[in-house]
Amino acid sequence: MKKEIDIKLLNIINTLVVTQSVTKTAQQLKLSPGSISYALKKARSITGAHLFIRTRNGMKPDTTAKELSQRYQKFTGNSMPPTFSESATGKNTLNIMTFTPVEMMLAKIVKESRFWNSDLRFNFFPYDSNSNDRLERIKNGLIDIDIGSKLPADKLVNKIKLFSTPVSLLASQHSGLEDTVTLADWQERKHAVWSVFSDYYCDNILSSQNVVRYMDERKIAMISASIINMVAFCANSKCIMMIPDYFAPVFTSTFPVKKLSMPPELSLKYDCYFHFSNTLFDYEEMKLTANEIVSHFKNINQVDQDAFISPP
């Protein structure tokens, strides 16, 4: 092994040995992921060793990387970056990315379950509609659980279908609309659009072309990534907005809005998936928590949702 490897490079290798994640290493050292990758390439050239192997559980160090990490720790007197002091069996923060309705439902689950008295901390991140970005965050360890639209298949990420639901409409309780909206109502009314959602689908081949046309021809009054803003806007206007039927009770119990059926010509559905990193299996408490969350969602049927969401 050549001896000209410098202390900065040793610091990067040591941090990567500890975090086993390029992204976390970059965050800890306030560098870009690209800088970490460049440094690894340089270190491999100097040492002639591969140093790290990418696995489903993160970047695993080889013997040379461990030796360099120990050399750095001996030189500096540090054994571990403080940000990543959690042990493999003691991780106590569950990072979750999802959209607001699911976050509201999860808050209810946490409060009324055994999680409330545990040391586990739930850390929520705003939903990102970019599938590739969501996938990379799970693979790099930034997100433990992602609940939302289906992500591309990846050997490092598991997925469970959480639920499938029809799509409904929300409108003000004073909108003057009947329980089932007609196609004429759909075309005449203005729409509020929750921009996070784009994964509604039609399972009827013959009607799918018309569905696309009716969606494109909507009179849109407002678009926002915030569903709270859109529901509040509908509650105080004559606009209507689409929403997965599964989430409707969250808002009808909180805002002066009502759920309406879509026009028969626009029969749409939405599927929601629970994604998680393979590394979740390394932490018993987090694995059990994730399993219990899935069980809660799967046991909620449409009849039970009002009781589940409403305050006691």
Side-chain angles (χ1 to χ4, degrees):
M1 183 188 301
K2 297 181 180 180
K3 302 299 182 182
E4 62 265 36
I5 187 165
D6 60 39
I7 191 67
K8 291 182 180 179
L9 207 49
L10 285 175
N11 186 19
I12 290 173
I13 292 171
N14 177 65
T15 306
L16 189 54
V17 167
V18 174
T19 66
Q20 298 187 11
S21 164
V22 170
T23 302
K24 288 182 178 179
T25 297
Q27 291 177 332
Q28 173 68 11
L29 301 179
K30 295 181 171 56
L31 298 170
S32 69
S35 297
I36 303 300
S37 297
Y38 177 80
L40 277 180
K41 183 177 180 180
K42 180 179 178 181
R44 284 167 178 153
S45 175
I46 293 172
T47 63
H50 197 66
L51 298 178
F52 293 90
I53 300 172
R54 187 181 296 276
T55 72
R56 69 175 190 171
N57 294 321
M59 301 288 285
K60 297 299 181 182
D62 63 12
T63 302
T64 302
K66 291 177 181 178
E67 178 189 331
L68 292 172
S69 175
Q70 291 171 359
R71 183 185 302 180
Y72 175 82
Q73 292 172 16
K74 183 177 181 180
F75 180 80
T76 61
N78 295 325
S79 60
M80 185 178 293
T83 303
F84 300 99
S85 59
E86 296 174 328
S87 69
T89 58
K91 190 175 189 300
N92 65 353
T93 300
L94 194 61
N95 295 320
I96 303 173
M97 174 179 284
T98 190
F99 25 73
T100 303
V102 172
E103 188 173 334
M104 293 168 70
M105 297 173 81
L106 281 172
K108 184 76 171 179
I109 291 172
V110 171
K111 181 178 180 296
E112 297 182 352
S113 71
R114 65 178 179 84
F115 311 137
W116 189 248
N117 296 317
S118 74
D119 294 328
L120 191 62
R121 182 175 66 184
F122 294 79
N123 192 19
F124 289 98
F125 289 78
Y127 187 75
D128 186 342
S129 57
N130 187 303
S131 296
N132 291 329
D133 288 348
R134 287 167 54 205
L135 191 62
E136 285 303 312
R137 292 188 191 192
I138 301 174
K139 290 166 62 177
N140 290 325
L142 297 178
I143 297 296
D144 298 305
I145 294 173
D146 174 293
I147 302 176
S149 301
K150 187 176 182 180
L151 291 175
D154 191 284
K155 63 182 180 180
L156 301 180
V157 178
N158 290 275
K159 67 169 68 73
I160 298 171
K161 189 173 183 179
L162 208 54
F163 59 83
S164 182
T165 180
V167 177
S168 296
L169 292 169
L170 288 183
S172 168
Q173 292 178 352
H174 308 291
S175 63
L177 293 170
E178 300 296 330
D179 289 343
T180 299
V181 174
T182 66
L183 184 58
D185 293 328
W186 170 274
Q187 294 171 326
E188 292 170 3
R189 294 277 177 151
K190 289 188 176 181
H191 294 249
V193 177
W194 182 23
S195 60
V196 166
F197 266 83
S198 59
D199 290 326
Y200 300 128
Y201 67 92
C202 175
D203 58 7
N204 186 314
I205 294 176
L206 298 179
S207 62
S208 60
Q209 185 175 3
N210 285 332
V211 168
V212 172
R213 178 167 61 87
Y214 295 141
M215 294 282 286
D216 290 343
E217 292 175 352
R218 283 178 296 174
K219 298 176 182 177
I220 297 175
M222 185 179 292
I223 301 175
S224 174
S226 169
I227 191 171
I228 299 296
N229 287 345
M230 294 297 89
V231 175
F233 177 68
C234 285
N236 294 280
S237 70
K238 291 188 176 182
C239 283
I240 56 177
M241 67 173 290
M242 296 196 311
I243 186 172
D245 193 74
Y246 194 93
F247 299 148
V250 177
F251 300 107
T252 56
S253 63
T254 308
F255 292 87
V257 293
K258 59 182 179 179
K259 184 188 76 172
L260 307 172
S261 297
M262 292 276 284
E265 296 87 348
L266 284 98
S267 179
L268 296 172
K269 293 182 178 180
Y270 172 71
D271 294 338
C272 185
Y273 286 81
F274 184 101
H275 307 88
F276 60 97
S277 168
N278 290 332
T279 58
L280 206 65
F281 293 120
D282 295 336
Y283 307 98
E284 188 68 16
E285 180 69 12
M286 292 176 65
K287 180 177 67 176
L288 294 175
T289 299
N291 186 63
E292 192 163 335
I293 289 172
V294 171
S295 296
H296 272 283
F297 275 95
K298 285 186 172 292
N299 289 335
I300 301 170
N301 59 44
Q302 195 60 44
V303 175
D304 293 334
Q305 276 184 288
D306 287 312
F308 179 79
I309 300 298
S310 300

